[in-house]
Amino acid sequence: MATTTTDQVQVQIERVSALIEEQGLTKEDLMTALRQIMEIRAFENNIANLLSKAVLKGASHLYAGQEAVAVGAISALRDDDLVTSTHRGHGHAHAHGDKVAKTPEAKQEHFNKMMAEVLGKATGYCKGKGGSMHIADVEHGNLGATGIVGGNIPVAVGAALAQKLMGTDRVVLCFFGDGAANTGNFHEALNMASLWDLPVVFICENNQYAMSVPWRKASKLSSIAHRACAYGIPGETVDGMDVLAVRSVVSKAVERARRGEGPTLIEAITYRYYGHSHSDPRAYRTREEEAEWRKRDPIIILKNAMQSINWLTEEEFERLDEAVQRKLEKAMEFALNSPDPSPDELCTDVYAPSPWTQADIEAERALRERVRNDPNMRQISYAQALQEAMREEMLRDKRVFIMGEDVGLYGGAYGATRDLYKEFGEWRVIDTPISEATISGAGVGAAMAGMRPIVEIMYVDFTPLAMDQIANQGAKNRYMFGGKTTVPLVIRTEGGAGRAIAAHHSQSLESLWTHFPGIYVVMPATPYDAKGLLKAAIRDDNPVMFIEHKMLYREKGPVPEEEYVIPLGVADIKRPGKDITLVTYSRMVLRALEAAEILAQEGIDVEVIDLRTLKPLDLETILTSVKKTGRLVGVTEAYENTSFINEVMAQVNDHAFDWLDAPMVRVAAANVPVPRAEVLEDLAIPNVNRIVEACRKVVS
């Protein structure tokens, strides 16, 4: 065993003293750091024990060994700064929660709520709905953890963008592992953050293994920090087992960000003591390797540092250890005695409450009738209606901004944002790189941090590139975090066929988005609907996928000049009738109305219902109509296989089967990629003749 020389001791004392002086630290600061590290370790060891006894179910990714990174980094923050975390996030959650809790009672309560959440109890931070991988305390700046590797990086960029737009000097810390550094989210997010000099510090905890793959097998570069040069930002590597070293490097990066100088990428070299998860046998690494890393344990390093300058005695350390164990015992007692979530909680917190009242719905219904019956009302295009909606909401609420590819001078979809760019400037109408995932994820983060983004994705065909950020972060965060956050985000996109631009730019993918709880889907057919629904979507506190049909932008229709909104979840009977209920939406509304006029000449009276919003779905209007007509035809431009109209038919079957006088019929797109050739494209999607034939069939 190597002996410690007097010179080595002196070097240690000088190093520790320099770090303490540089950061202006006191003995109390170091005692706090040591306590937090020991509490995280005790928490994780306890979780490991519960998993081994099958007391705890589900996945838990333990942070033991990496505590110095969370504690050192978060100690460099102000209480009003923000953090985003990962599936291995207990350490981040504890270091942050303990920092913002100011009394011993509050600190114990925080520890209790963490333990309860991991055990799935109603008293947890997220009411037991998030669990180990999704602890959040959004109210106090912890924007939450994600179970998707790298999923939090775009969210952090959006939270930092919100700070820039709001003019604060708050900073965002973004934690992720070495595995996330190889995802597209990492590269897209660092590029966007560096481009805009956003106040975000990226902290990669390189614990040597992404699950079981060592870094040397995942990258040609030896260091993740070396990647920073590709984005024109500083990259630093730090000993992630040394809390003082971590705090020093992160403090400088935080102050740099706070001065408006942009992001920093920090690679903290660390080690996880447990496997990736409880089921991991760790066969890919040796016991000798683990033992060598344990010699550099964060507790040992800080304890030795404090003792080297006479700031810690063995008695003090023992008392601290006893206090940590008592705190853990209280947290376990609290969690075990806490109730499970009530069954009544199953369906709560999926959506933020609707801002619309029955009076709003009645007012819009009256306005709708006036619009239809006023021959002198102005006629404007669908595109102009969208532009008016965005302009009015941007004037009304300074938190509203637009972000997307080519939304500036090019104007985005059919030039709808060009004039807005000229009027509001480049920081209210923001041109982005081609980065669908980070555009959407940044929208999620900005929304959670207090803004109301309108994100434009050029074609609905491209939205699957952003599916993780919209569906797994934006749509689920409110529920996973126990209803303690809102994500007021609008994703504008265009869908549908008709321009002969083939399969990658012509799909109707709305059913992808109706599938996910937590997000609304809106598909207006007329200029009147487009304006009123977009205004409502911008004011809503939920994510809204707002899909415009590319063949409708030049369509004109009556739109009142006065202020109005159309509450989400209210269908419109575009044509009353008594023989058939025809349910449709978007461009198919126009074709359905044409078909209805042809059928009227044959004595068949068709009621055309425009859903306007697929989620929320106005089932009541559909059922009322079906109970009157006894027949239903559903029309959609989406693929017949799993299209949303199938869900409408299933709901009618469940709730109005006894009123049906004939089998329901659907008219949908062929189950083929949309072809380029016009003759084939026309065959692939519903036309007026197919709708007419379906209606004849249902009455025959």
Side-chain angles (χ1 to χ4, degrees):
M1 180 176 176
T3 57
T4 303
T5 67
T6 303
D7 287 344
Q8 288 174 321
V9 171
Q10 186 58 36
V11 168
Q12 164 76 340
I13 291 172
E14 290 175 359
R15 185 190 74 85
V16 173
S17 298
L19 287 171
I20 289 172
E21 183 178 359
E22 171 196 280
Q23 300 171 62
L25 300 175
T26 65
K27 176 180 177 179
E28 182 182 0
D29 293 330
L30 269 63
M31 288 296 290
T32 296
L34 181 60
R35 174 181 59 78
Q36 290 177 347
I37 291 173
M38 292 171 69
E39 287 172 350
I40 296 169
R41 179 68 56 80
F43 189 95
E44 300 297 68
N45 288 343
N46 181 62
I47 296 300
N49 182 49
L50 295 175
L51 287 166
S52 68
K53 295 178 179 179
V55 175
L56 175 61
K57 304 292 178 65
S60 271
H61 303 81
L62 302 181
Y63 195 70
Q66 301 180 211
E67 298 92 346
V69 184
V71 172
I74 289 173
S75 68
L77 296 179
R78 291 191 324 223
D79 286 355
D80 64 340
D81 289 326
L82 309 171
V83 301
T84 72
S85 182
T86 73
H87 59 282
R88 198 177 308 284
H90 302 162
H92 313 136
H94 179 54
H96 179 268
D98 187 82
K99 185 177 190 301
V100 300
K102 296 308 179 187
T103 65
E105 294 78 14
K107 292 178 186 294
Q108 181 69 59
E109 181 185 6
H110 155 67
F111 213 48
N112 294 351
K113 290 167 73 174
M114 274 191 58
M115 188 65 72
E117 186 59 39
V118 172
L119 268 64
K121 298 294 187 174
T123 54
Y125 265 113
C126 308
K127 302 196 291 191
K129 293 182 175 182
S132 174
M133 289 188 285
H134 310 112
I135 295 176
D137 184 11
V138 177
E139 179 186 359
H140 295 107
N142 177 357
L143 299 185
T146 175
I148 310 296
V149 172
N152 64 312
I153 309 178
V155 174
V157 170
L161 174 61
Q163 306 318 308
K164 186 179 183 81
L165 296 179
M166 292 188 291
T168 80
D169 67 345
R170 294 196 294 177
V171 173
V172 182
L173 281 193
C174 176
F175 293 98
F176 54 92
D178 50 292
N182 286 324
T183 67
N185 280 341
F186 171 86
H187 297 284
E188 289 187 22
L190 263 68
N191 182 59
M192 191 177 287
S194 64
L195 180 66
W196 296 337
D197 290 324
L198 298 183
V200 55
V201 178
F202 299 105
I203 302 178
C204 179
E205 298 182 84
N206 186 349
N207 62 21
Q208 315 305 306
Y209 296 96
M211 290 190 69
S212 65
V213 178
W215 178 252
R216 69 179 181 277
K217 290 187 177 182
S219 174
K220 191 79 170 178
L221 288 176
S222 61
S223 169
I224 294 167
H226 291 167
R227 292 183 174 180
C229 65
Y231 306 106
I233 62 175
E236 299 279 350
T237 299
V238 65
D239 181 358
M241 310 299 274
D242 185 340
V243 69
L244 294 178
V246 172
R247 192 185 195 281
S248 175
V249 170
V250 175
S251 293
K252 293 169 186 173
V254 166
E255 289 312 309
R256 180 177 182 274
R258 213 179 296 285
R259 292 193 301 268
E261 296 174 20
T264 301
L265 172 61
I266 295 171
E267 177 186 21
I269 307 298
T270 184
Y271 199 76
R272 54 171 164 82
Y273 291 167
Y274 292 100
H276 169 71
S277 60
H278 180 64
S279 59
D280 179 3
R282 312 202 301 275
Y284 47 86
R285 64 192 200 190
T286 66
R287 300 305 179 195
E288 291 76 16
E289 176 185 303
E290 294 181 353
E292 284 300 311
W293 276 97
R294 283 184 178 270
K295 291 177 183 178
R296 303 202 65 257
D297 186 280
I299 296 174
I300 294 173
I301 288 178
L302 182 54
K303 177 184 176 185
N304 289 345
M306 294 176 69
Q307 289 182 337
S308 73
I309 57 171
N310 299 317
W311 275 13
L312 181 71
T313 66
E314 279 297 330
E315 292 76 15
E316 286 176 311
F317 182 78
E318 290 173 6
R319 287 198 299 270
L320 181 59
D321 186 51
E322 291 170 0
V324 168
Q325 293 306 314
R326 288 195 300 272
K327 189 171 186 176
L328 177 66
E329 289 167 4
K330 289 180 180 178
M332 271 303 296
E333 181 182 6
F334 174 83
L336 292 174
N337 290 331
S338 292
D340 292 329
S342 165
D344 295 338
E345 284 285 348
L346 175 63
C347 295
T348 64
D349 305 323
V350 180
Y351 298 97
S354 171
W356 312 114
T357 65
Q358 188 60 37
D360 295 322
I361 294 171
E362 294 300 329
E364 190 275 323
R365 184 176 289 120
L367 175 63
R368 199 188 319 157
E369 288 304 308
R370 182 162 67 82
V371 169
R372 284 185 182 141
N373 296 317
D374 184 352
N376 298 316
M377 184 163 290
R378 64 167 183 157
Q379 302 273 322
I380 65 172
S381 72
Y382 191 97
Q384 186 179 343
L386 294 169
Q387 183 188 75
E388 284 189 4
M390 290 184 283
R391 181 176 185 273
E392 289 174 14
E393 293 305 302
M394 291 174 78
L395 289 170
R396 175 181 173 273
D397 188 342
K398 291 184 178 180
R399 297 173 298 170
V400 178
F401 71 98
I402 299 167
M403 176 171 62
E405 300 161 15
D406 300 309
V407 297
L409 288 174
Y410 185 77
Y414 281 79
T417 56
R418 185 183 301 118
D419 291 341
L420 301 178
Y421 177 81
K422 294 175 182 177
E423 179 175 358
F424 293 98
E426 63 179 350
W427 287 109
R428 292 288 298 281
V429 182
I430 307 173
D431 274 322
T432 69
I434 296 177
S435 301
E436 279 81 7
T438 294
I439 293 167
S440 301
V444 172
M448 291 178 67
M451 299 296 286
R452 303 189 80 86
I454 306 170
V455 164
E456 183 174 312
I457 303 295
M458 195 172 290
Y459 292 93
V460 75
D461 314 72
F462 302 166
T463 60
L465 294 167
M467 186 163 284
D468 168 50
Q469 292 301 308
I470 301 172
N472 284 328
Q473 315 301 333
K476 294 187 177 74
N477 278 1
R478 178 177 175 81
Y479 188 84
M480 290 195 309
F481 301 164
K484 297 174 183 177
T485 190
T486 56
V487 188
L489 167 67
V490 175
I491 305 103
R492 277 189 62 228
T493 189
E494 63 175 77
R499 285 177 48 204
I501 49 178
H504 287 173
H505 294 73
S506 305
Q507 298 173 97
S508 295
L509 300 182
E510 58 271 12
S511 62
L512 288 180
W513 297 107
T514 59
H515 178 75
F516 296 104
I519 183 170
Y520 289 149
V521 179
V522 178
M523 296 188 70
T526 68
Y528 167 79
D529 292 330
K531 180 175 180 179
L533 289 168
L534 182 54
K535 287 170 69 69
I538 294 168
R539 297 185 195 183
D540 203 276
D541 281 336
N542 296 286
V544 179
M545 180 66 68
F546 195 94
I547 305 174
E548 305 148 12
H549 199 291
K550 60 175 61 67
M551 300 305 291
L552 292 178
Y553 287 115
R554 293 190 178 94
E555 290 287 331
K556 289 191 173 184
V559 176
E561 296 190 47
E562 71 258 33
E563 162 76 17
Y564 74 98
V565 294
I566 300 175
L568 304 186
V570 182
D572 179 22
I573 300 175
K574 288 288 195 285
R575 183 188 190 280
K578 65 179 187 306
D579 296 328
I580 300 172
T581 298
L582 196 159
V583 177
T584 188
Y585 53 91
S586 192
R587 180 169 65 142
M588 287 297 112
V589 170
L590 307 188
R591 292 191 171 176
L593 290 170
E594 288 183 54
E597 290 305 313
I598 293 171
L599 290 161
Q601 296 172 16
E602 303 174 14
I604 301 172
D605 194 10
V606 178
E607 181 151 291
V608 177
I609 296 178
D610 176 6
L611 294 180
R612 301 201 291 188
T613 65
L614 280 57
K615 283 174 58 186
L617 175 66
D618 184 358
L619 186 60
E620 182 181 351
T621 294
I622 299 169
L623 297 179
T624 299
S625 178
V626 168
K627 290 175 182 179
K628 175 178 63 175
T629 66
R631 298 173 178 84
L632 182 133
V633 172
V635 181
T636 178
E637 196 170 318
Y639 303 125
E640 182 183 73
N641 179 35
T642 68
S643 72
F644 181 74
I645 216 68
N646 297 357
E647 171 63 18
V648 172
M649 295 169 75
Q651 293 280 359
V652 171
N653 187 72
D654 287 347
H655 299 286
F657 180 80
D658 291 342
W659 279 270
L660 289 172
D661 297 326
M664 295 177 283
V665 176
R666 63 185 172 182
V667 183
N671 292 318
V672 300
V674 181
R676 155 64 182 86
E678 291 96 325
V679 63
L680 296 179
E681 182 183 49
D682 288 344
L683 288 171
I685 60 176
N687 56 36
V688 173
N689 287 338
R690 284 180 59 193
I691 298 171
V692 168
E693 287 304 315
C695 290
R696 287 171 179 159
K697 179 180 179 181
V698 84
V699 296
S700 65

